[in-house]
Amino acid sequence: MGSRHDKGAEDGQQSLTDPPSGHSITPGDLLDQNASPTPKFVYLLAFFSALGGFLFGYDTGVVSGAMLLLKKEMNLDTLWQELLVSSTVGAAAISALSGGFLNGWFGRRICILLASFIFTVGGVTMGVAPNKEVLLVGRITVGLGIGIASMTVPVYIAEVSPPHQRGQLVTVNSLFITGGQFIASVVDGAFSFMKHDGWRYMLGLSVVPAILQFVGFCFLPESPRWLLQKGQREEARQILSQIRGDHAVDEEFDTIKASIEEEEREAGGDGFILMRILNHGPTRRALIVGCGLQMFQQLSGINTVMYYSATILQMGGVRDVKQAIWLAAATSASNFVFTMLGVWLVERVGRRKLTLGSLFGTGLSLTLLAVGFLLAAQSSSPVTLHPAVPLNSTCGHYEFCEPCMLDPGCGFCFLENGTTVYDSSCVPVNETSKDRAAWGRCSNQTEETASPIWAYNYCPTSYSWVILMGLMLYLAFFAPGMGTMPWTVNSEIFPLWARSTGNACSAGVNWIFNVLVSLTFLHVAEFLTYYGAFFMYTGLVVLGIVFVYGCLPETKGLQLEDIENLFMGPLCSCGTSSPNDHRHVQYIRVKGNNYLPSDNEASDVE
Ligand SMILES: O[C@H]1[C@H](O)[C@@H](O)[C@H](O)[C@@H](O)[C@H]1O
């Protein structure tokens, strides 16, 4: 790997470790270089590509509010509700996996255009859907768009960004994801009053950012790194100069070119890329780190916590559906706001520390959530009324709310005076709508305050504040690190030839574990109880800490072409493969300002 670095010296440039006489390079010099303004064009590229992240967030987030209206209007049973929610995530998993091929073959720009086209078609299909079958087709279509966008956008942003700002700009994509989820919850709130057709607006509005992105990308350029890999040198050089503004790009261009040639030599040019990745030590290790991060992101339970937030709020006494919708918007707003913290921190503390700190806090908050659920279970309200239930129902056996609500066939029907629960019973749930009981006092839900309350999947508790605190802390810790870093790190750890396939695999792992965790949550809770489920997530987060501590190197500030060096050593070297240990000497022109070196040194003096 040394050849391209020696080249700089031949060109008369100076090594950082060997400053020219009369000019010793101080950290201040490096800071100045790194601080040179980033051309506005890069921000424009980041914005238009991150609209893909926005659509990812919007389309995954909007469905919960739309479902409240849809299930009434289309009379959806539980199976159809689950289909409409999970089909999108399932389709995203499949298209993310196949997106690697599209990305490598047709380029990042075409893939982003394709994703925004698919989002538009999906949005229109959902907006005009005459029946649930067409709606399902629309949901699957947007899922296909999400999968492609989720693996292409971070790669594209990483490839056009200058090294010292790459982390921040790629993390902006995660900010757009959580921003999309937040806007979706606001749109859900705003249209929830439209009992008829409100869902059409909720689902259909996604065409607006999709069209904006499509039109924008008709005018925006391809990634110069991809073009260079495809041998289109002149166009690559021209685009790189356009993106870098007045900075000359010879150095960066030569580095990318040399590294592509070297990579092809080292990794061999034949065979399936996935096989080449697996047969080549550094890329195999990068793949394990990338997929592991994505797996632990989902195993930390983010989507369970987000999905479950409305129920958590109901436990705390928010029984009005409208109020619950708005408070759920507050949950996604927190996720969004704390993601901003991640954008701010990523270039300051680096990826490794941010991920570790985030996992640590996530583990503590999950413990708090689990303890809250444990306290709630232990003080669970007794069943005081025992109406005759059909013999085939298990609901008549329960003496307390806790086992009653853990049985998917039953719910808790009660009256409330302040925080005191009375006249409570455990009765079968209506199979077509879980919002009411199959028969009896809770089978006909009215808005009257004196009418009995139907609690499905939750129990009233005075410990809801512990759970609520756990929820808020969880988002504060998860969002800036584990919510963002898996996407950011994956966009930078693979060499160019392996980047599309590597990201396709890791994004696919993210979506597969997303489906797995959301589909199994209620069953896990049924077997382990809620506190058991949250203790289990805590255990998985502890495994995540061991994995990240052992295997995640710091990639902050390095040029993409140098990151492969971090994976030369053994897989888990406990962070010792930091950039400073494996850094190759980088060369800069001391006079003239045409190349941005790594900002490792800058960070040391920050
Ligand atoms: O990074 C994102 C983000 O944290 C979202 O809030 C979550 O829903 C996604 O599953 C995750 O991939």
Side-chain angles (χ1 to χ4, degrees):
M1 294 295 271
S3 56
R4 69 174 181 266
H5 301 286
D6 302 338
K7 186 181 164 298
E10 286 162 20
D11 289 352
Q13 297 153 28
Q14 301 295 327
S15 155
L16 284 182
T17 49
D18 181 21
S21 53
H23 184 105
S24 62
I25 298 170
T26 66
D29 290 342
L30 292 160
L31 209 57
D32 283 350
Q33 298 231 17
N34 284 322
S36 60
T38 304
K40 297 222 170 34
F41 194 48
V42 171
Y43 294 116
L44 192 77
L45 293 182
F47 171 82
F48 272 97
S49 26
L51 282 176
F54 181 89
L55 286 158
F56 158 175
Y58 187 90
D59 279 316
T60 49
V62 78
V63 69
S64 56
M67 200 56 76
L68 295 177
L69 303 180
L70 264 171
K71 64 183 179 193
K72 293 209 175 91
E73 205 172 315
M74 290 200 174
N75 214 356
L76 300 177
D77 59 18
T78 324
L79 177 70
W80 266 95
Q81 291 178 39
E82 275 176 6
L83 265 179
L84 289 173
V85 176
S86 321
S87 56
T88 305
V89 184
I94 295 167
S95 80
L97 286 169
S98 50
F101 164 75
L102 295 175
N103 224 280
W105 206 249
F106 298 107
R108 325 313 187 201
R109 178 172 170 269
I110 296 291
C111 281
I112 294 180
L113 279 169
L114 180 69
S116 47
F117 178 74
I118 295 178
F119 277 125
T120 312
V121 173
V124 172
T125 311
M126 291 187 299
V128 301
N131 52 39
K132 54 182 191 269
E133 288 78 14
V134 176
L135 195 62
L136 181 64
V137 172
R139 289 289 296 162
I140 293 175
T141 311
V142 290
L144 297 176
I146 294 176
I148 297 178
S150 69
M151 62 130 317
T152 310
V153 171
V155 167
Y156 179 81
I157 302 182
E159 289 187 346
V160 297
S161 302
H164 70 288
Q165 260 199 325
R166 187 182 58 238
Q168 208 160 47
L169 291 173
V170 179
T171 310
V172 164
N173 183 52
S174 298
L175 186 68
F176 273 51
I177 297 176
T178 53
Q181 290 174 329
F182 169 52
I183 298 292
S185 59
V186 173
V187 170
D188 279 353
F191 286 100
S192 59
F193 70 93
M194 272 180 85
K195 297 275 174 271
H196 186 63
D197 281 352
W199 58 269
R200 290 189 191 279
Y201 295 96
M202 297 175 182
L203 298 171
L205 269 176
S206 62
V207 296
V208 177
I211 291 177
L212 183 68
Q213 189 186 42
F214 187 85
V215 174
F217 258 87
C218 287
F219 301 98
L220 294 174
E222 178 52 89
S223 151
R225 285 181 158 85
W226 182 83
L227 284 172
L228 243 175
Q229 194 196 19
K230 295 288 162 194
Q232 301 176 32
R233 291 191 187 170
E234 272 324 297
E235 203 182 340
R237 185 190 289 273
Q238 197 192 331
I239 291 173
L240 194 63
S241 323
Q242 189 188 4
I243 296 174
R244 294 286 176 267
D246 358 322
H247 305 288
V249 292
D250 294 353
E251 221 79 24
E252 189 174 357
F253 186 82
D254 289 346
T255 311
I256 302 172
K257 190 156 73 68
S259 114
I260 290 173
E261 287 159 8
E262 207 167 277
E263 280 171 2
E264 305 261 301
R265 263 201 312 279
E266 271 179 15
D270 300 323
F272 279 125
I273 296 187
L274 185 60
M275 289 320 288
R276 283 166 62 193
I277 291 180
L278 292 174
N279 288 332
H280 183 56
T283 44
R284 183 176 58 242
R285 290 185 275 274
L287 187 70
I288 295 174
V289 169
C291 292
L293 275 176
Q294 293 287 25
M295 178 182 83
F296 281 114
Q297 178 193 68
Q298 293 301 317
L299 290 181
S300 313
I302 174 65
N303 291 309
T304 303
V305 171
M306 294 272 282
Y307 159 80
Y308 206 62
S309 69
T311 312
I312 291 176
L313 298 164
Q314 283 179 314
M315 283 180 156
V318 183
R319 304 281 150 70
D320 175 41
V321 176
K322 284 225 180 62
Q323 215 178 342
I325 288 184
W326 284 113
L327 285 171
T331 313
S332 37
S334 321
N335 195 16
F336 173 61
V337 169
F338 288 115
T339 309
M340 281 185 205
L341 185 65
V343 175
W344 187 74
L345 283 175
V346 60
E347 296 297 0
R348 287 175 171 79
V349 301
R351 286 60 159 159
R352 188 177 148 83
K353 279 193 199 138
L354 187 54
T355 312
L356 272 175
S358 162
L359 268 173
F360 198 70
T362 302
L364 287 181
S365 339
L366 280 169
T367 313
L368 191 66
L369 270 171
V371 168
F373 279 109
L374 179 64
L375 291 172
Q378 283 178 345
S379 60
S380 170
S381 311
V383 173
T384 55
L385 302 176
H386 290 274
V389 294
L391 283 179
N392 61 356
S393 164
T394 43
C395 308
H397 305 162
Y398 304 120
E399 296 297 332
F400 289 91
C401 177
E402 176 78 7
C404 169
M405 71 108 173
L406 286 173
D407 186 329
C410 316
F412 193 64
C413 181
F414 65 101
L415 285 165
E416 200 175 36
N417 183 3
T419 53
T420 317
V421 170
Y422 65 100
D423 279 358
S424 53
S425 53
C426 180
V427 279
V429 64
N430 183 317
E431 279 309 319
T432 45
S433 163
K434 308 253 149 119
D435 293 344
R436 50 182 192 268
W439 43 259
R441 298 176 299 161
C442 283
S443 61
N444 193 3
Q445 288 297 286
T446 63
E447 309 254 310
E448 281 170 43
T449 36
S451 64
I453 298 161
W454 170 245
Y456 182 72
N457 259 344
Y458 76 92
C459 284
T461 170
S462 48
Y463 288 105
S464 57
W465 63 272
V466 182
I467 302 175
L468 207 64
M469 216 165 81
L471 175 74
M472 283 300 148
L473 280 177
Y474 177 93
L475 292 173
F477 281 110
F478 177 88
M482 274 315 270
T484 58
M485 286 307 105
W487 298 109
T488 305
V489 169
N490 268 289
S491 72
E492 36 186 39
I493 52 178
F494 297 101
L496 191 51
W497 64 267
R499 197 167 293 146
S500 308
T501 306
N503 272 273
C505 292
S506 61
V509 166
N510 180 291
W511 290 111
I512 289 168
F513 277 88
N514 187 330
V515 184
L516 219 69
V517 172
S518 2
L519 283 187
T520 54
F521 176 68
L522 287 178
H523 300 284
V524 172
E526 206 182 314
F527 285 112
L528 297 179
T529 72
Y530 283 102
Y531 59 85
F534 283 102
F535 276 127
M536 184 188 85
Y537 290 138
T538 313
L540 292 170
V541 165
V542 172
L543 290 181
I545 294 179
V546 174
F547 175 77
V548 170
Y549 182 79
C551 308
L552 180 66
E554 181 58 72
T555 48
K556 177 185 148 196
L558 290 179
Q559 177 139 341
L560 285 180
E561 283 63 34
D562 285 329
I563 290 178
E564 193 186 355
N565 297 332
L566 299 178
F567 294 92
M568 291 293 182
L571 175 62
C572 293
S573 42
C574 298
T576 48
S577 48
S578 75
N580 287 331
D581 301 329
H582 282 263
R583 261 191 89 246
H584 283 257
V585 174
Q586 289 211 358
Y587 299 95
I588 57 169
R589 286 187 204 282
V590 172
K591 289 204 177 99
N593 177 19
N594 68 346
Y595 181 59
L596 293 174
S598 145
D599 68 347
N600 301 316
E601 291 77 5
S603 66
D604 290 338
V605 295
E606 261 169 12

